[in-house]
């Protein structure tokens, strides 16, 4: 039987990746304007909030893409819709 690992990450971005990218961006393009990267600074608050939003959006993007494939879909109504789309009429037992 095939090993069905269903945790597929298509964009492979998480909170730390977004946070590090924002810090690198700030250091590159605003070296004189902003240079306080401590965890208690107001600038880091906004960078971490943006990283959180990116992480949540990435999760939902991955989840929606997984629901589009027959082998990785988790929701029963989506599986039935894909079966009907392919011309298969599942026989429901009672």
């Amino acid at each position: 039987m095939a090993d069905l690992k269903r945790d597929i990450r298509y964009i492979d971005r998480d909170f730390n990746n977004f946070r590090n990218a924002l810090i690198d961006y700030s250091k590159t393009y605003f070296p004189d304007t902003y240079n306080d990267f401590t965890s208690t600074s107001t600038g880091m608050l906004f960078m971490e909030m943006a990283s959180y939003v990116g992480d949540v959006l990435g999760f939902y993007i991955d989840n929606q893409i997984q629901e589009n494939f027959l082998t990785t879909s988790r929701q029963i109504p989506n599986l039935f819709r894909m079966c009907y789309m392919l011309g298969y009429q599942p026989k429901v037992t009672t």
Side-chain angles (χ1 to χ4, degrees), residues 35-47:
N35 55 15
D36 183 17
F37 296 103
T38 60
S39 61
T40 58
S41 68
T42 306
M44 284 304 293
L45 168 77
F46 290 118
M47 285 186 207

Side-chain angles (χ1 to χ4, degrees), residues 3-4 25-26 28 31 33-34 39 54 66 69 77 83 85-87 90:
D3 181 25
L4 296 176
Y25 182 84
S26 298
T28 302
T33 307
Y34 186 77
S39 61
Q66 285 182 16
F69 298 108
C83 288
M85 182 179 67
L86 294 172

Side-chain angles (χ1 to χ4, degrees), residues 30-94:
F30 305 105
D32 298 330
T33 307
Y34 186 77
N35 55 15
D36 183 17
F37 296 103
T38 60
S39 61
T40 58
S41 68
T42 306
M44 284 304 293
L45 168 77
F46 290 118
M47 285 186 207
E48 289 185 357
M49 289 174 67
S51 300
Y52 170 75
V53 170
D55 187 28
V56 170
L57 289 175
F59 169 77
Y60 284 113
I61 288 170
D62 288 341
N63 191 27
Q64 290 301 316
I65 290 174
Q66 285 182 16
E67 290 298 318
N68 288 323
F69 298 108
L70 200 56
T71 57
T72 58
S73 182
R74 295 178 183 154
Q75 297 177 2
I76 300 297
N78 290 340
L79 288 170
F80 279 118
R81 284 188 199 109
M82 285 185 273
C83 288
Y84 295 143
M85 182 179 67
L86 294 172
Y88 176 72
Q89 297 292 327
K91 295 180 177 119
V92 182
T93 60
T94 58

